[in-house]
Amino acid sequence: MATVRLSFSPAPVHVRTARLVGVAVARRAGVAEELLDEVRLAIGEACTRAVALHRQYGLTDLVTVEMSDSDSYTVRVIDHGPIEASVGLTKLPPDELADESLTDDALTTGVGFALLAGFVDDLQVRPVEDGSGTEVRMVWPVARR
Amino acid sequence: MELSLTTRTVAEYTVLEVGGEVDVYTAPRLRERLIELVDAGARDVVVDLERVDFLDSTGLGVLVGALKRLRTAHGTFGLVCAKEPLLKIFRITALDQVFPIFPTVGAATERDGSGPAS
């Protein structure tokens, strides 16, 4: 099993770097070419969410992305926001998406989660084991090498 | 790839061609440009996504914001997109039910511009 770990300051500019690394490691791990767009989008959404949480709560802690391959390709995106920030994370129904009263942040969060849930078959959002924070864990199949 | 934004006029439509990656870092520039266009009087706006390589939830949020702004201003808003990976994003988020999506700029600018943005 190989592991690649990337930590970055919670700034939007670094999310692209995380996407690029995540896709490069996925390709090397043997994730099917046709899934790479989805891997790229899902890692980007998970990191965007983590960066937004850190900024919302004024946290300067690094966001961590850990990628590992064994029987599958597993990506864990770890933030340090309060766990209650992740409660109520849900997909928005279409009739609420263009609702005038919905804030841009709430819309983006809801759409982001819809993308994660839609593109990742094996998705878990759970509290980190130590301290405060949430781990978004995503798993994709790899071809036998 | 960096975000690129180019504006042109087709009949009464203002067409904003977007290229590159629209994400949490670049989406604020797209938002600013759309606000500038509406503030400058554009009422029938088409955003052409054909040269977009990547679009995330932040970019989708900016597009919904523009739709709402034009709806308030009694304008129209449409998207041009024929790329299957992007169309899948609109389907998964159910935003294909929110935006009028056209396969070409021609199709987007041939419609009757007098209807409400929906």
Side-chain angles (χ1 to χ4, degrees):
Chain A
M1 186 177 97
T3 299
V4 175
R5 187 180 293 133
L6 167 75
S7 291
F8 61 93
S9 300
V13 68
H14 302 309
V15 171
R16 180 169 188 261
T17 305
R19 288 200 304 267
L20 292 172
V21 173
V23 169
V25 179
R27 186 174 274 126
R28 182 160 179 78
V31 175
E33 199 69 25
E34 61 268 24
L35 289 178
L36 293 180
D37 274 349
E38 304 185 2
V39 170
R40 179 163 73 137
L41 187 68
I43 292 175
E45 291 300 335
C47 290
T48 295
R49 175 187 165 278
V51 168
L53 272 179
H54 281 219
R55 291 166 83 87
Q56 184 183 343
Y57 289 93
L59 304 170
T60 52
D61 309 62
L62 304 184
V63 172
T64 299
V65 186
E66 189 182 282
M67 297 144 271
S68 58
D69 70 89
S70 50
D71 295 334
S72 57
Y73 178 55
T74 303
V75 180
R76 295 161 64 221
V77 177
I78 299 152
D79 68 65
H80 300 284
I83 184 65
E84 58 269 24
S86 300
V87 174
L89 197 62
T90 183
K91 190 174 167 176
L92 290 167
D95 55 345
E96 285 184 24
L97 289 173
D99 191 312
E100 304 301 329
S101 61
L102 194 66
T103 66
D104 286 358
D105 283 351
L107 174 88
T108 301
T109 303
V111 168
F113 190 70
L115 287 174
L116 271 179
F119 278 120
V120 188
D121 292 338
D122 189 346
L123 170 73
Q124 288 182 3
V125 183
R126 59 189 183 191
V128 295
E129 284 169 7
D130 300 314
S132 133
T134 310
E135 169 188 309
V136 176
R137 183 174 177 273
M138 303 168 278
V139 182
W140 287 275
V142 294
R144 192 179 292 273
R145 282 166 294 168
Chain B
M1 190 184 141
E2 262 302 299
L3 181 75
S4 70
L5 299 170
T6 312
T7 309
R8 65 190 171 104
T9 303
V10 179
E12 74 271 34
Y13 291 89
T14 302
V15 179
L16 177 60
E17 290 177 2
V18 185
E21 299 192 339
V22 186
D23 74 351
V24 64
Y25 178 58
T26 61
R29 280 171 48 208
L30 176 61
R31 179 187 288 117
E32 281 168 25
R33 179 64 68 89
L34 284 163
I35 290 173
E36 282 169 13
L37 291 175
V38 178
D39 285 352
R43 287 297 174 267
D44 297 305
V45 176
V46 171
V47 174
D48 180 358
L49 301 173
E50 274 311 288
R51 288 170 51 239
V52 168
D53 306 314
F54 182 82
L55 178 68
D56 77 355
S57 58
T58 329
L60 292 170
V62 167
L63 296 174
V64 174
L67 171 76
K68 289 183 190 174
R69 203 164 285 117
L70 280 156
R71 192 184 273 170
T72 305
H74 306 291
T76 68
F77 185 74
L79 299 176
V80 174
C81 179
K83 283 183 174 175
E84 180 48 34
L86 287 188
L87 290 171
K88 187 173 180 185
I89 289 170
F90 285 102
R91 281 199 303 274
I92 280 180
T93 55
L95 285 168
D96 60 338
Q97 297 168 45
V98 173
F99 292 114
I101 300 177
F102 302 90
T104 61
V105 171
T109 56
E110 274 167 12
R111 68 208 156 103
D112 175 10
S114 62
S118 60

